[in-house]
Amino acid sequence: MKKGILLVNLGSPDSPTPKDVKKYLGEFLMDERVIDIPLVARTALVKGIILNTRPKQSAAAYKKIWWDEGSPLIVLSERLQKKLQQQVDYPVALAMRYGSMTIKKGLQELVDQAVDEVLLFPLYPQFAMATTETITVLAEELRQQFFPNLKIESVPAFYNKPDYIEVLSKSVKTHLEDNNYEHLLFSYHGVPERHIRKSDITKSHCKIDGSCCITPSKAHEFCYRHQCLEVTRLVAEALQLKEGTYSTSFQSRLGFDPWLQPYTDRTIERLGKKGIKNMAIVTPAFVSDCLETLEEIAMEGQEIFHEMGGKEFTTVPCLNDNDDWVALLAKWINKWAKTSVEVV
C-alpha cells in the first residue's frame, strides 16, 4: 500500500470581500457540529440573520490581517506543508474543512499519486465537535461516496503529548525571552458549554463545575475544556510559571447560549483594571495564525488592554511553520508510516 498525508486546517474565504466572506460563513455556520441546533432553526439563524448582518463586518476584519500572498491561515498552512514534505518520503496534501480547498480535493490529490492509505491529520491539538470531529466525519462520508478503496486513519488529539508540550513551551519561552511580562494568558477558542456535554462519552461526568476537568475520567478523551486546561497546566509546569502569573480564557463566542468561561476579552479587561501593565498572550488552540489570533487577539485584545491602562501587550505566534514543530510532525508521520501504530 502507498501511504500519504492529508493535513486539514479550518479554512478561509477566498478574499476579504463581503461576497466571499458570506459564502465562507454560510458553509461554516451551517455545519451541524458548529451550530448544533435543529436544521430549521439553524437555517433561520444563519441565513435569515447572521449572513445578512455579519459578512460586511467580518470582511473588514479580514482586510486588516490579509497578506499580499493571501489569507494568513492558508499561506502559513502551505508553508507548513512544503517544509513537512521535505522531511518525509510520503505525499503530503493540504485541505481545509471550509472554503475552496476542500477535503475532497485533498483526497483526490493523494489518490492521483496512487495513494491508497491516508493519514488524516486535523491541525488541532485538542478534540472538539466543531474542529476534529467535523473533519473526520466529512472525510469518512467522502471516502464512502468517492473513494471506497481508500483507507483513512485519523490522528487523535495530541494536546498532552510530551514532545508537543516541549515544542510549544520552547516556542513560548523563545518569544518571551526578553519580556518581563507580569501575566501570561492562555487563550483558547471558545465553544458552547453544550458541546462539552454532548462530547461526554460517559453521559454524566462533564458538569463544568470546576472539578470535573481535574477528576480522572474517560470523558477527558473528548473533553475540549479539560484538554485546554491541561495544555495550560503542562506548559506552565514546563516553564516553571508561578501560580497567579498565568491563567486560561476562551475567545470568539457567538449568540446568547452559555459558552466556556472566563471570556478572553473580559479577562484582558480585568487584568488591565487590576493594574497589570505588561501582559503576554498565547493561543494554543490554533497551530496557524488566523483571524482569531491576528485580529481578535493581537488587535482587539491589545486595544482593550490599553483602554484599561495596560502598556505592553505581547502576542506569541502560533507554531505555524516553526522548524521544531515541522520536525515533530515528521517524526510522528514517519513513525506511523513505518510501523502502522498510533501516530502520537
Side-chain angles (χ1 to χ4, degrees):
M1 299 184 76
K2 183 175 180 180
K3 304 188 179 195
I5 319 302
L6 182 61
L7 305 176
V8 186
N9 215 327
L10 179 71
S12 171
D14 291 332
S15 74
T17 61
K19 179 182 177 181
D20 282 341
V21 170
K22 182 176 183 178
K23 179 182 178 182
Y24 173 76
L25 287 178
E27 182 185 5
F28 173 52
L29 297 176
M30 282 301 294
D31 186 334
E32 63 182 351
R33 287 175 173 79
V34 174
I35 298 184
D36 57 324
I37 58 178
L39 178 59
V40 173
R42 185 165 69 250
T43 302
L45 173 63
V46 175
K47 297 185 177 181
I49 300 176
I50 296 176
L51 295 185
N52 289 319
T53 58
R54 191 161 177 172
K56 186 175 181 180
Q57 176 186 351
S58 294
Y62 272 108
K63 283 181 181 178
K64 288 195 285 184
I65 59 107
W66 209 261
W67 293 349
D68 291 341
E69 308 101 301
S71 161
L73 181 141
I74 301 293
V75 173
L76 290 166
S77 298
E78 290 174 338
R79 291 177 185 173
L80 174 65
Q81 174 202 9
K82 290 174 182 176
K83 277 191 175 184
L84 183 59
Q85 184 65 84
Q86 294 172 357
Q87 296 195 28
V88 299
D89 296 327
Y90 317 96
V92 179
L94 174 67
M96 299 289 151
R97 175 58 182 87
Y98 311 103
S100 57
M101 293 178 63
T102 65
I103 293 177
K104 182 183 177 184
K105 288 180 180 177
L107 291 173
Q108 187 64 59
E109 179 183 333
L110 293 174
V111 170
D112 289 345
Q113 297 179 72
V115 167
D116 49 17
E117 185 174 357
V118 173
L119 180 65
L120 182 69
F121 208 126
L123 291 171
Y124 303 101
Q126 304 88 12
F127 170 89
M129 282 175 52
T131 56
T132 313
E133 186 176 62
T134 188
I135 287 172
T136 56
V137 168
L138 177 59
E140 176 57 21
E141 291 174 354
L142 291 169
R143 187 197 67 79
Q144 292 181 15
Q145 186 174 359
F146 300 103
F147 311 102
N149 297 319
L150 197 62
K151 179 182 178 182
I152 299 179
E153 181 179 346
S154 299
V155 175
F158 51 87
Y159 68 99
N160 61 348
K161 301 306 176 183
D163 38 11
Y164 165 71
I165 293 298
E166 181 180 353
V167 168
L168 178 60
S169 300
K170 181 181 177 182
S171 174
V172 174
K173 183 178 180 180
T174 299
H175 284 97
L176 297 179
E177 200 160 16
D178 299 318
N179 190 312
N180 295 316
Y181 63 89
E182 301 165 69
H183 194 93
L184 176 60
L185 182 62
F186 292 76
S187 178
Y188 300 84
H189 198 283
V191 301
E193 289 184 356
R194 65 177 180 274
H195 282 203
I196 304 300
R197 298 188 176 93
K198 280 187 173 183
S199 299
D200 181 1
I201 57 175
T202 71
K203 303 303 179 186
S204 61
H205 181 79
C206 295
K207 297 181 173 61
I208 316 180
D209 59 2
S211 65
C212 59
C213 280
I214 58 175
T215 303
S217 170
K218 292 181 180 179
H220 292 170
E221 183 179 354
F222 299 104
C223 179
Y224 177 73
R225 183 175 184 270
H226 162 79
Q227 294 180 9
C228 291
L229 294 176
E230 192 67 359
V231 171
T232 296
R233 184 186 73 80
L234 291 170
V235 173
E237 185 179 89
L239 297 179
Q240 299 182 325
L241 301 180
K242 294 180 180 179
E243 195 69 33
T245 64
Y246 64 94
S247 58
T248 296
S249 63
F250 299 89
Q251 64 190 85
S252 308
R253 60 193 182 275
L254 174 68
F256 301 101
D257 291 336
W259 283 51
L260 293 181
Q261 296 189 45
Y263 300 135
T264 293
D265 53 356
R266 294 179 185 175
T267 300
I268 294 173
E269 182 178 328
R270 177 180 59 80
L271 290 171
K273 287 181 177 179
K274 185 181 176 182
I276 297 294
K277 298 301 181 184
N278 186 343
M279 72 169 288
I281 187 164
V282 59
T283 49
F286 306 94
V287 299
S288 305
D289 276 305
C290 54
L291 183 70
E292 286 81 358
T293 65
L294 298 173
E295 196 272 339
E296 184 178 355
I297 295 297
M299 294 180 183
E300 291 185 8
Q302 179 172 247
E303 184 176 342
I304 293 171
F305 188 58
H306 288 164
E307 287 176 352
M308 295 301 108
K311 299 298 182 183
E312 298 295 326
F313 185 88
T314 304
T315 54
V316 177
C318 292
L319 291 176
N320 296 322
D321 62 341
N322 175 302
D323 288 342
D324 292 332
W325 170 231
V326 175
L328 178 56
L329 290 177
K331 171 188 167 184
W332 285 344
I333 289 167
N334 285 324
K335 176 184 174 183
W336 165 78
K338 293 174 181 176
T339 64
S340 294
V341 298
E342 188 173 88
V343 181
V344 298

